[in-house]
Amino acid sequence: MTRHRKRRQWGSGEIHQTSSGWQVRWRENGLRRTRGASPLARMPSACWRRSAATWPSIAPGFRPIHAGSLSELVPDILDRRKLTHRAADCDRYRWKKHIEPHFGHLKPSAVDVARIRAFVEVKLAEKLNPATIRIFVALLSAIFVDLTERSLATGNPARGLPKSLMRLIRSTHDPKKTPFIERLDDVRRIFLAPLSR
């Protein structure tokens, strides 16, 4: 006898527990979407149509996220990053000099794609190389990965950025314009060439 799986109502979603916390899954415009769940977060109506009062029965033991500002949370992340990353000191400088002035006063939940786009546009206006700005965005993403793992953030806004934004921080290096040694004979020619003054 075949068992028929009951289909969920159109536009609804489901909540399940993952290794890093609770997550909501739903379909939107034909794509499967996921988001870290918090009972106090404003979930999309197409995602989960339940009031906050019903959350304890859905996710027993779940606690709302009460995180401080990024300026309070990030120093601890950078201290732990020293143990695993050779460029931890550079990351601390990048945070202090470039990222903290834009994001430090915000709570993790307040950082979104629009704020990241504004940050990128400001740095481009300062004539920084797009590849350098891409490193800043990568560091911001690493910070949010850490915060999500510790349930201090519900997701990573710096992951899966729109193509229009990623084009702004594309590397300007063009390998076609970079000279290189094509043949072994070139090594001898370069070695014997007089030094240019």
Side-chain angles (χ1 to χ4, degrees):
M1 179 175 154
T2 5
R3 295 182 63 188
H4 295 285
R5 194 172 163 194
K6 188 178 176 183
R7 294 176 66 106
R8 290 191 307 274
Q9 181 183 356
W10 175 258
S12 65
E14 63 181 358
I15 184 168
H16 61 100
Q17 191 170 15
T18 66
S19 58
S20 60
W22 292 94
Q23 192 176 60
V24 173
R25 238 179 356 204
W26 75 98
R27 284 200 169 272
E28 186 179 332
N29 299 328
L31 299 172
R32 173 171 279 186
R33 301 193 181 275
T34 58
R35 180 172 171 182
S38 164
L40 299 183
R42 298 178 67 184
M43 304 304 296
S45 58
C47 160
W48 196 253
R49 294 187 174 98
R50 286 184 184 267
S51 65
T54 63
W55 274 79
S57 60
I58 300 169
F62 194 86
R63 294 288 178 270
I65 293 171
H66 297 293
S69 68
L70 288 173
S71 288
E72 298 167 4
L73 298 169
V74 170
D76 179 49
I77 295 171
L78 295 175
D79 288 341
R80 284 184 285 108
R81 200 169 167 83
K82 275 185 180 179
L83 305 174
T84 55
H85 292 74
R86 286 185 298 175
D89 290 335
C90 295
D91 288 341
R92 188 178 297 277
Y93 170 79
R94 290 170 185 137
W95 166 256
K96 280 284 181 195
K97 171 84 175 167
H98 298 283
I99 305 172
E100 187 176 23
H102 291 268
F103 298 104
H105 64 286
L106 299 172
K107 291 194 172 187
S109 58
V111 179
D112 57 11
V113 175
R115 288 186 187 273
I116 295 173
R117 184 183 293 276
F119 168 72
V120 167
E121 289 171 352
V122 166
K123 291 301 166 186
L124 286 171
E126 292 174 7
K127 305 295 184 190
L128 265 67
N129 190 300
T132 303
I133 301 170
R134 193 181 188 106
I135 293 172
F136 299 157
V137 173
L139 176 58
L140 188 64
S141 179
I143 288 167
F144 270 92
V145 166
D146 189 286
L147 292 172
T148 305
E149 285 175 358
R150 292 188 293 142
S151 300
L152 295 173
T154 57
N156 184 354
R159 179 177 289 166
L161 294 172
K163 287 183 180 177
S164 60
L165 180 53
M166 294 306 291
R167 282 192 204 104
L168 295 176
I169 52 177
R170 184 184 293 159
S171 174
T172 54
H173 172 71
D174 185 358
K176 292 178 182 175
K177 295 180 180 176
T178 306
F180 65 98
I181 297 172
E182 298 182 43
R183 297 180 301 275
L184 191 57
D185 295 340
D186 293 338
V187 176
R188 185 173 186 277
R189 180 176 54 79
I190 293 168
F191 183 75
L192 296 175
L195 293 174
S196 56
R197 296 195 180 193

